[in-house]
Amino acid sequence: MIAVIFEVIPHSSLKQDCLDIAASLLPLLQQMDGFISIVRAH
Protein backbone atom coordinates (compact mmCIF):
# COMPACT_ATOMS: atom_id res chain seq x y z
CA MET A 1 0.00 0.00 0.00
CA ILE A 2 1.19 3.50 -0.80
CA ALA A 3 -0.22 6.57 0.94
CA VAL A 4 0.59 10.11 -0.06
CA ILE A 5 -0.33 12.87 2.33
CA PHE A 6 0.61 16.47 1.84
CA GLU A 7 -0.41 19.92 2.91
CA VAL A 8 -0.08 23.01 0.77
CA ILE A 9 -0.36 26.58 1.98
CA PRO A 10 -0.28 28.63 -1.22
CA HIS A 11 0.27 32.35 -1.42
CA SER A 12 -3.14 34.01 -1.41
CA SER A 13 -2.74 35.15 -5.02
CA LEU A 14 -2.14 31.55 -6.16
CA LYS A 15 -4.73 29.74 -4.03
CA GLN A 16 -7.30 29.22 -6.80
CA ASP A 17 -4.62 28.01 -9.23
CA CYS A 18 -3.46 25.43 -6.67
CA LEU A 19 -7.02 24.25 -6.02
CA ASP A 20 -7.65 23.92 -9.76
CA ILE A 21 -4.50 21.84 -10.23
CA ALA A 22 -5.44 19.60 -7.31
CA ALA A 23 -8.93 19.10 -8.75
CA SER A 24 -7.49 18.15 -12.13
CA LEU A 25 -5.54 15.30 -10.51
CA LEU A 26 -8.66 13.39 -9.48
CA PRO A 27 -9.47 11.87 -12.90
CA LEU A 28 -5.84 10.75 -13.28
CA LEU A 29 -5.74 9.19 -9.82
CA GLN A 30 -9.06 7.41 -10.29
CA GLN A 31 -7.55 5.48 -13.21
CA MET A 32 -4.80 4.04 -11.01
CA ASP A 33 -5.20 0.52 -9.61
CA GLY A 34 -5.68 0.66 -5.87
CA PHE A 35 -6.72 4.30 -5.69
CA ILE A 36 -9.06 4.81 -2.74
CA SER A 37 -9.77 8.48 -2.18
CA ILE A 38 -8.66 12.07 -2.26
CA VAL A 39 -9.62 14.62 0.37
CA ARG A 40 -9.41 18.35 -0.17
CA ALA A 41 -9.94 20.57 2.84
CA HIS A 42 -9.90 24.31 2.71
Side-chain angles (χ1 to χ4, degrees):
M1 176 195 310
I2 298 172
V4 177
I5 302 169
F6 63 94
E7 179 179 4
V8 176
I9 303 172
H11 188 276
S12 59
S13 67
L14 299 174
K15 183 175 181 177
Q16 190 58 52
D17 290 338
C18 289
L19 292 174
D20 292 343
I21 291 168
S24 72
L25 290 175
L26 183 58
L28 298 172
L29 293 170
Q30 288 175 324
Q31 295 175 14
M32 297 181 76
D33 289 341
F35 173 75
I36 297 174
S37 70
I38 187 170
V39 176
R40 289 178 48 201
H42 4 173

